[in-house]
Amino acid sequence: MSEKKRILVVDDEPDFCSIVQGNLEKEGFDVEVAYDGVQGIEKVKANRPDAIVLDVMMPEKDGYEVCKELKGDEDLADIPILMLTAVASHVSSTRYSHFDGMSMEADDYLPKPASAEDITESLKALLNL
Protein backbone atom coordinates (compact mmCIF):
# COMPACT_ATOMS: atom_id res chain seq x y z
CA MET A 1 0.00 0.00 0.00
CA SER A 2 1.47 3.31 -1.01
CA GLU A 3 -0.44 5.26 1.62
CA LYS A 4 -1.67 3.70 4.85
CA LYS A 5 -5.41 3.19 4.87
CA ARG A 6 -7.18 4.27 8.06
CA ILE A 7 -9.55 1.79 9.64
CA LEU A 8 -11.91 2.57 12.51
CA VAL A 9 -12.88 -0.45 14.63
CA VAL A 10 -16.08 0.16 16.64
CA ASP A 11 -16.75 -2.59 19.19
CA ASP A 12 -17.45 -2.61 22.92
CA GLU A 13 -15.13 -5.59 23.57
CA PRO A 14 -11.61 -4.23 24.28
CA ASP A 15 -9.92 -7.63 23.83
CA PHE A 16 -11.52 -8.11 20.41
CA CYS A 17 -10.54 -4.57 19.38
CA SER A 18 -6.96 -5.20 20.46
CA ILE A 19 -6.67 -8.42 18.44
CA VAL A 20 -8.19 -6.89 15.31
CA GLN A 21 -6.11 -3.72 15.69
CA GLY A 22 -2.88 -5.70 16.01
CA ASN A 23 -3.68 -7.85 13.00
CA LEU A 24 -4.65 -4.89 10.81
CA GLU A 25 -1.55 -2.92 11.83
CA LYS A 26 0.61 -5.93 10.85
CA GLU A 27 -1.06 -5.72 7.43
CA GLY A 28 -0.05 -2.06 7.11
CA PHE A 29 -3.26 -0.32 8.16
CA ASP A 30 -3.49 2.65 10.51
CA VAL A 31 -6.12 1.68 13.10
CA GLU A 32 -8.22 3.71 15.53
CA VAL A 33 -10.68 2.19 18.02
CA ALA A 34 -14.01 3.32 19.48
CA TYR A 35 -15.86 1.39 22.17
CA ASP A 36 -19.45 2.44 21.47
CA GLY A 37 -21.54 3.86 18.67
CA VAL A 38 -21.56 7.46 19.87
CA GLN A 39 -17.77 7.49 20.19
CA GLY A 40 -17.52 5.82 16.77
CA ILE A 41 -19.54 8.55 15.04
CA GLU A 42 -17.51 11.25 16.79
CA LYS A 43 -14.26 9.67 15.58
CA VAL A 44 -15.56 9.33 12.01
CA LYS A 45 -16.45 13.02 11.93
CA ALA A 46 -13.18 14.12 13.58
CA ASN A 47 -10.84 12.05 11.40
CA ARG A 48 -12.53 10.33 8.45
CA PRO A 49 -11.43 6.67 8.09
CA ASP A 50 -11.08 4.79 4.80
CA ALA A 51 -13.26 1.97 6.16
CA ILE A 52 -15.12 1.00 9.34
CA VAL A 53 -15.43 -2.33 11.16
CA LEU A 54 -18.71 -2.01 13.07
CA ASP A 55 -20.17 -4.34 15.69
CA VAL A 56 -23.95 -4.57 16.00
CA MET A 57 -24.51 -5.01 19.73
CA MET A 58 -23.03 -2.02 21.60
CA PRO A 59 -24.10 0.39 24.34
CA GLU A 60 -25.19 3.99 23.69
CA LYS A 61 -25.93 3.51 19.97
CA ASP A 62 -25.93 0.11 18.28
CA GLY A 63 -24.28 -0.72 14.99
CA TYR A 64 -27.50 -0.52 13.00
CA GLU A 65 -28.10 3.04 14.21
CA VAL A 66 -24.49 4.02 13.50
CA CYS A 67 -24.62 2.51 10.00
CA LYS A 68 -27.93 4.23 9.22
CA GLU A 69 -26.62 7.59 10.44
CA LEU A 70 -23.36 7.36 8.47
CA LYS A 71 -25.01 6.11 5.26
CA GLY A 72 -27.60 8.89 5.58
CA ASP A 73 -24.88 11.57 5.64
CA GLU A 74 -23.89 12.42 2.07
CA ASP A 75 -20.37 13.39 3.19
CA LEU A 76 -19.80 10.03 4.91
CA ALA A 77 -22.03 7.63 2.96
CA ASP A 78 -19.20 6.41 0.72
CA ILE A 79 -17.09 5.04 3.61
CA PRO A 80 -17.19 1.22 3.35
CA ILE A 81 -18.68 -0.42 6.45
CA LEU A 82 -18.00 -4.02 7.44
CA MET A 83 -20.76 -5.01 9.85
CA LEU A 84 -20.12 -7.75 12.40
CA THR A 85 -23.41 -9.53 13.10
CA ALA A 86 -23.90 -12.09 15.84
CA VAL A 87 -25.06 -15.49 14.72
CA ALA A 88 -28.81 -15.64 15.31
CA SER A 89 -28.63 -18.69 17.59
CA HIS A 90 -26.42 -16.75 19.99
CA VAL A 91 -28.65 -13.68 20.20
CA SER A 92 -31.29 -13.71 22.90
CA SER A 93 -33.05 -10.56 21.70
CA THR A 94 -34.89 -10.35 18.39
CA ARG A 95 -33.87 -6.68 18.29
CA TYR A 96 -30.59 -7.74 16.69
CA SER A 97 -31.73 -10.02 13.90
CA HIS A 98 -29.64 -10.99 10.90
CA PHE A 99 -32.49 -9.73 8.71
CA ASP A 100 -32.05 -6.24 10.18
CA GLY A 101 -28.36 -6.42 9.34
CA MET A 102 -29.02 -7.47 5.76
CA SER A 103 -31.53 -4.65 5.33
CA MET A 104 -28.98 -2.05 6.42
CA GLU A 105 -26.68 -0.38 3.97
CA ALA A 106 -23.45 -1.89 5.24
CA ASP A 107 -21.07 -2.88 2.45
CA ASP A 108 -20.19 -6.32 3.83
CA TYR A 109 -21.17 -8.58 6.71
CA LEU A 110 -19.32 -11.18 8.76
CA PRO A 111 -20.82 -13.37 11.47
CA LYS A 112 -19.38 -12.77 14.91
CA PRO A 113 -17.13 -14.12 16.23
CA ALA A 114 -15.19 -13.25 13.09
CA SER A 115 -11.51 -14.02 12.78
CA ALA A 116 -9.03 -11.19 12.41
CA GLU A 117 -7.97 -12.79 9.11
CA ASP A 118 -11.53 -12.74 7.72
CA ILE A 119 -11.92 -9.10 8.76
CA THR A 120 -8.62 -8.20 7.06
CA GLU A 121 -9.60 -10.00 3.85
CA SER A 122 -13.00 -8.30 3.75
CA LEU A 123 -11.48 -4.86 4.30
CA LYS A 124 -8.94 -5.42 1.52
CA ALA A 125 -11.77 -6.37 -0.84
CA LEU A 126 -13.84 -3.32 0.17
CA LEU A 127 -10.84 -1.04 -0.37
CA ASN A 128 -9.78 -2.76 -3.63
CA LEU A 129 -6.35 -3.65 -2.26
Side-chain angles (χ1 to χ4, degrees), residues 50-52 54 67 70-71 76-84 101-102 104-110 122-123 125-127:
D50 293 298
I52 301 166
L54 181 61
C67 184
L70 294 175
K71 292 299 184 180
L76 305 172
D78 62 331
I79 301 171
I81 295 177
L82 168 58
M83 183 85 79
L84 302 180
M102 295 308 288
M104 291 307 305
E105 298 176 20
D107 299 279
D108 197 4
Y109 302 87
L110 286 176
S122 177
L123 286 171
L126 289 172
L127 294 168

Side-chain angles (χ1 to χ4, degrees), residues 65-108:
E65 293 172 293
V66 172
C67 184
K68 186 175 183 176
E69 185 172 330
L70 294 175
K71 292 299 184 180
D73 183 325
E74 65 181 46
D75 294 329
L76 305 172
D78 62 331
I79 301 171
I81 295 177
L82 168 58
M83 183 85 79
L84 302 180
T85 58
V87 178
S89 62
H90 294 112
V91 179
S92 58
S93 167
T94 57
R95 178 169 178 242
Y96 300 109
S97 73
H98 190 64
F99 174 78
D100 287 342
M102 295 308 288
S103 68
M104 291 307 305
E105 298 176 20
D107 299 279
D108 197 4

Side-chain angles (χ1 to χ4, degrees), residues 7-123:
I7 307 299
L8 176 62
V9 178
V10 186
D11 194 302
D12 62 334
E13 296 177 36
D15 291 343
F16 178 77
C17 288
S18 181
I19 291 166
V20 172
Q21 181 176 16
N23 198 65
L24 290 174
E25 287 175 346
K26 274 191 252 175
E27 292 289 328
F29 292 101
D30 182 21
V31 182
E32 190 172 6
V33 174
Y35 297 104
D36 66 54
V38 172
Q39 188 181 59
I41 288 174
E42 288 170 358
K43 290 193 174 199
V44 168
K45 291 180 178 180
N47 194 3
R48 180 188 168 100
D50 293 298
I52 301 166
V53 176
L54 181 61
D55 185 30
V56 169
M57 293 189 288
M58 293 184 295
E60 305 299 325
K61 191 175 271 203
D62 70 36
Y64 296 142
E65 293 172 293
V66 172
C67 184
K68 186 175 183 176
E69 185 172 330
L70 294 175
K71 292 299 184 180
D73 183 325
E74 65 181 46
D75 294 329
L76 305 172
D78 62 331
I79 301 171
I81 295 177
L82 168 58
M83 183 85 79
L84 302 180
T85 58
V87 178
S89 62
H90 294 112
V91 179
S92 58
S93 167
T94 57
R95 178 169 178 242
Y96 300 109
S97 73
H98 190 64
F99 174 78
D100 287 342
M102 295 308 288
S103 68
M104 291 307 305
E105 298 176 20
D107 299 279
D108 197 4
Y109 302 87
L110 286 176
K112 197 173 181 184
S115 73
E117 293 79 17
D118 288 343
I119 291 170
T120 301
E121 284 182 34
S122 177
L123 286 171

